[in-house]
Amino acid sequence: MKTIQAKLTVTILAIVLVALAALGGLNYWRARAIITDNVVAELQKSVGANAEGLGKWLEVRKTEVMTIARSPVMASGNQEAMLAYLGAEISNNRGIYENIFWIKPDGTLVDTKGTKGNLGSRAYFQAGMKGVTSISDPLKSMTTGRSVVVLATPIKAGDRIAGVLVSAIYIEELEKRTLGIKVGETGNAYMVRGDGLVIIHANKDLVMKANSLTDTKFPQAIRDVTGKMVKGETGFARYDWDGVEKMIAYAPVPGTGWSLALTVPTGEITGVLSSLTIISLVTIVVVMLLAGIAISWFARRIARPIQSLEAAAQKIAGGDLSQASMGISSNDEIGRLAQSFEKMTQSISSLIKHISTKAEYLAASSEELTASAGQSSQASNQIAISIEEVASGAAEQINAAGEAAATVTRLSAGIQQIAANSGSVANQSERVAEKAAAGGAAVDEAIGQMDRIEKTVDSSAAVVAKLGERSKEIGQIVDTISGIAGQTNLLALNAAIEAARAGEQGRGFAVVAEEVRKLAEQSEEAAKKIAGLISDTQIDTDKAVEAMQQGTQEVKTGAKVVNAAGATFREIAGMVTEVSGQIKQISQAIQEMASGSQKIVASVNLIDDLSKKSSDEAQSVSAATEEQLASMEEVATSSEALARLAQELQVAVAKFRL
């Protein structure tokens, strides 16, 4: 789309299309909602009315049975009359009742067919005997196999209950009424009893076989709805069955535990919207065609003056400023744009004339400026060369001064390190001298201690020797005691012999002799033990004497060694003292050298700083000169460009036709 007419047409048509589509969609959504709400309300109303109609039909049957039970014939107790009466009722309502019979209070069955049996255990009989009328759930008849419901009501004779009247009612009528309910084209009705069993349905395979509350073949939504139906609730729901969305409305059947449901596909309800959709689409197409024609005419009317402006602008772009009027006289924005365009053309024409005049002056001035800039550039170039040579020499001076400063700094650092080390050595030599002197004193003390030890060992050896002599004397004494004990023992033996000879008079003496003998033996044993101990003591004493002699010899040797060490230590102390004095002198000299080196370093650093400042100043002057040279070159270049620009401006202005 290269034209404004096409853009306007497409844009407006798109807006109209979106608006129509939104309006149509909104109408469709609203119509669908209204129709759906109406259908839901109609379904709920219909299911309620039909459930009530089925309840009324059952109520009519209930009233008929109760009327039969209250007739005088049934209350008379005349069995023949009762059977005849029931037979006539069956004949008159042959399509409604399968059988009518009564049950006696003892549970005995009586009917027109002569059937025998006892039904006393049946729930409807027990309820009837309590005065309650009841309707059973549908069941299969045992005689005909057809679906029936059992309606039971009490038979009263005065104030007592004379039995229970029972009627088996065909539910084909209920099926016809239920299946005859139609909703849409394919909608249908079905009925479930209180436990969820399907009792009426268009699909015969489900009747009395399928349970929509518990069978998993039914969708979960149907099972949920059935759960509400068996509770006697009224409502509406949606569900999917074989991929088809359906709606269901349900209501309880009055007087029973059953529930009626109406179901219809949702598509049938919303099918009426198809015609509305077609009408909406046709309307949109017609409106779009009419709108397209009107929009195209309107866009062409807007685009025509713009095209005139475009043609005039192209002429101006080609250098033709002779067109003074656009021929557009409208009072809208485009008309005002044309008037502004005419004024702009006139202003540009005046501007071109003025520029042409000034361009000639500009060309002449630029040529003079170019010549002056060339001369200044040559002078600045010569100055820059001289300054660069000065800066180069200053840089070499800085390098030399830097190297000298670094060398002197390292030398000063080495001298200071030597001074520090020499001071440390001097201190260490003084401490060594002190330690050597202390070692000499310790050696002298050790010599004295060795002398004292030698004297003590000699004294101990003398004492031990005396102890050996005393042990020998004790051994001699023990020998004497041993001899005395032996003599005493012998005398005691002789005394015993003499006492034995004396007989009775010498008995007391014999006892004394025996005691003396025992004492002699004990003294002899003690003397032997003492002798053994003295012998061991003498042996140990001899060993101690020998050890003391060896110790004395070792002490003497140690004293000689310590004396020699003392002499050596005294010589070392003297030498260390002499070395310490020499080291102090060396340390003082090195410190004086370190102080002088620091002064040299300061002087070299000062020279280095001055060289750097000179070099910086030279570089600054060189840089300024280079900047000035560059500026002059730029001025020359700009003046040349200005001259070219003036020439180009003259050429450009020459293109316009005024």
Side-chain angles (χ1 to χ4, degrees):
M1 295 184 293
K2 297 182 179 180
T3 63
I4 191 170
Q5 179 180 350
K7 291 180 179 179
L8 283 173
T9 303
V10 172
T11 302
I12 298 175
L13 281 176
I15 294 172
V16 172
L17 179 61
V18 171
L20 290 175
L23 182 61
L26 181 62
N27 290 336
Y28 179 83
W29 172 80
R30 185 58 184 163
R32 179 187 177 92
I34 293 172
I35 293 173
T36 302
D37 292 342
N38 291 337
V39 169
V40 170
E42 190 64 29
L43 274 176
Q44 290 179 328
K45 181 178 179 181
S46 176
V47 73
N50 283 284
E52 185 177 356
L54 295 174
K56 288 181 179 179
W57 184 86
L58 289 172
E59 187 65 27
V60 170
R61 303 286 81 77
K62 180 179 178 181
T63 302
E64 290 177 352
V65 173
M66 292 176 66
T67 301
I68 295 172
R70 293 173 184 174
S71 67
V73 176
M74 299 302 297
S76 66
N78 186 339
Q79 186 168 328
E80 293 182 359
M82 293 169 66
L83 290 174
Y85 178 60
L86 293 179
E89 288 295 334
I90 293 171
S91 298
N92 294 333
N93 300 279
R94 188 167 295 278
I96 299 175
Y97 298 106
E98 179 192 55
N99 193 10
I100 302 177
F101 57 91
W102 83 89
I103 305 172
K104 295 180 179 180
D106 60 357
T108 302
L109 169 65
V110 180
D111 68 353
T112 58
K113 302 175 182 178
T115 306
K116 303 295 184 182
N118 191 298
L119 302 178
S121 61
R122 300 297 174 90
Y124 57 80
F125 168 73
Q126 295 175 1
M129 291 301 296
K130 294 178 182 179
V132 178
T133 300
S134 61
I135 300 176
S136 71
D137 288 332
L139 48 86
K140 291 289 185 180
S141 173
M142 299 179 63
T143 58
T144 63
R146 296 166 65 183
S147 297
V148 296
V149 293
V150 176
L151 196 156
T153 186
I155 300 173
K156 295 183 178 179
D159 294 334
R160 67 182 182 85
I161 297 176
V164 177
L165 181 66
V166 180
S167 62
I169 304 173
Y170 293 121
I171 64 171
E172 279 86 350
E173 183 64 25
L174 280 175
E175 290 179 351
K176 292 178 182 179
R177 288 174 174 267
T178 301
L179 299 178
I181 302 172
K182 294 295 182 181
V183 182
E185 297 180 1
T186 60
N188 63 304
Y190 68 93
M191 190 182 298
V192 297
R193 68 185 190 186
D195 59 355
L197 185 68
V198 178
I199 57 177
I200 298 175
H201 200 283
N203 187 352
K204 298 299 182 181
D205 295 334
L206 301 178
V207 177
M208 303 302 291
K209 298 177 182 178
N211 191 308
S212 60
L213 181 63
T214 59
D215 288 352
T216 57
K217 63 183 178 181
F218 290 95
Q220 183 62 43
I222 287 293
R223 297 201 296 270
D224 294 340
V225 168
T226 304
K228 296 179 180 180
M229 292 172 66
V230 299
K231 293 178 182 179
E233 297 181 10
T234 300
F236 172 84
R238 298 175 185 270
Y239 67 95
D240 288 335
W241 184 278
D242 291 337
V244 179
E245 183 184 1
K246 293 187 176 184
M247 296 186 294
I248 183 172
Y250 50 90
V253 178
T256 68
W258 312 337
S259 185
L260 177 67
L262 298 181
T263 178
V264 62
T266 306
E268 293 185 9
I269 302 303
T270 59
V272 295
L273 295 173
S274 298
S275 58
L276 178 61
T277 302
I278 294 172
I279 293 173
S280 298
L281 291 176
V282 172
T283 302
I284 290 173
V285 172
V286 172
V287 170
M288 287 299 295
L289 291 175
L290 296 176
I293 295 171
I295 292 169
S296 178
W297 174 81
F298 179 71
R300 187 182 301 110
R301 184 174 179 181
I302 292 175
R304 188 178 296 114
I306 295 175
Q307 290 172 354
S308 299
L309 288 173
E310 180 187 9
Q314 288 178 352
K315 289 182 178 180
I316 293 173
D320 186 2
L321 298 175
S322 60
Q323 186 173 353
S325 177
M326 300 291 106
I328 301 172
S329 59
S330 60
N331 293 324
D332 55 7
E333 288 82 355
I334 296 176
R336 291 193 291 272
L337 175 62
Q339 295 173 6
S340 300
F341 194 85
E342 292 172 358
K343 292 179 181 179
M344 180 189 70
T345 304
Q346 295 173 1
S347 298
I348 292 174
S349 178
S350 301
L351 178 62
I352 293 299
K353 291 178 180 178
H354 182 72
I355 291 173
S356 178
T357 303
K358 298 299 180 182
E360 295 177 358
Y361 294 110
L362 179 61
S365 300
S366 62
E367 290 177 356
E368 294 177 359
L369 179 61
T370 300
S372 300
Q375 295 175 359
S376 299
S377 177
Q378 292 177 358
S380 297
N381 191 16
Q382 185 64 36
I383 294 171
I385 293 171
S386 300
I387 294 298
E388 285 179 357
E389 291 177 355
V390 173
S392 177
E396 292 177 357
Q397 183 181 1
I398 289 172
N399 293 332
E403 292 178 358
T407 302
V408 172
T409 301
R410 289 195 296 271
L411 179 61
S412 176
I415 293 172
Q416 290 177 357
Q417 182 65 34
I418 293 171
N421 292 336
S422 65
S424 177
V425 170
N427 293 331
Q428 292 293 333
S429 65
E430 289 179 359
R431 287 196 292 272
V432 168
E434 292 174 358
K435 296 295 181 180
V443 169
D444 292 339
E445 186 178 353
I447 293 171
Q449 186 67 30
M450 291 300 295
D451 292 339
R452 289 192 292 274
I453 291 171
E454 183 179 6
K455 292 177 181 180
T456 302
V457 171
D458 291 340
S459 298
S460 299
V463 172
V464 172
K466 291 180 181 180
L467 181 61
E469 292 176 358
R470 293 289 185 274
S471 64
K472 290 179 180 179
E473 292 176 359
I474 293 170
Q476 294 174 359
I477 294 170
V478 170
D479 290 339
T480 303
I481 293 171
S482 180
I484 294 170
Q487 293 295 327
T488 303
N489 190 14
L490 183 60
L491 289 176
L493 180 61
N494 292 331
I497 294 170
E498 291 300 326
R501 289 178 181 177
E504 187 70 27
Q505 290 80 10
R507 183 176 298 174
F509 186 75
V511 172
V512 174
E514 180 66 21
E515 292 296 327
V516 170
R517 186 186 65 79
K518 292 180 180 179
L519 289 172
E521 290 178 352
Q522 292 175 356
S523 297
E524 187 177 6
E525 290 178 358
K528 289 179 180 179
K529 291 181 180 179
I530 292 170
L533 294 173
I534 290 172
S535 178
D536 293 338
T537 302
Q538 288 177 347
I539 293 170
D540 294 337
T541 301
D542 292 339
K543 292 180 179 179
V545 171
E546 183 178 358
M548 292 301 294
Q549 290 176 354
Q550 292 178 355
T552 301
Q553 187 65 31
E554 293 295 331
V555 169
K556 290 179 179 180
T557 303
K560 292 179 180 179
V561 173
V562 170
N563 288 327
T568 303
F569 262 105
R570 283 191 289 274
E571 292 178 0
I572 292 171
M575 295 173 68
V576 168
T577 302
E578 184 178 356
V579 171
S580 177
Q582 295 175 355
I583 290 174
K584 287 182 179 178
Q585 295 176 358
I586 293 170
S587 177
Q588 291 175 357
I590 291 173
Q591 289 178 354
E592 291 177 357
M593 291 174 65
S595 178
S597 67
Q598 289 179 353
K599 294 180 180 179
I600 294 171
V601 169
S603 299
V604 173
N605 287 333
L606 180 59
I607 294 170
D608 187 28
D609 291 338
L610 293 174
S611 299
K612 288 181 179 178
K613 290 181 179 178
S614 298
S615 177
D616 291 340
E617 294 297 332
Q619 288 178 356
S620 299
V621 173
S622 176
T625 305
E626 289 178 355
E627 290 179 358
Q628 184 178 4
L629 179 60
S631 299
M632 294 305 298
E633 289 177 351
E634 290 179 359
V635 169
T637 303
S638 299
S639 63
E640 292 176 357
L642 185 62
R644 289 195 301 270
L645 181 61
Q647 293 176 359
E648 293 174 358
L649 184 60
Q650 289 176 345
V651 173
V653 170
K655 293 180 180 180
F656 290 94
R657 295 187 298 276
L658 304 176

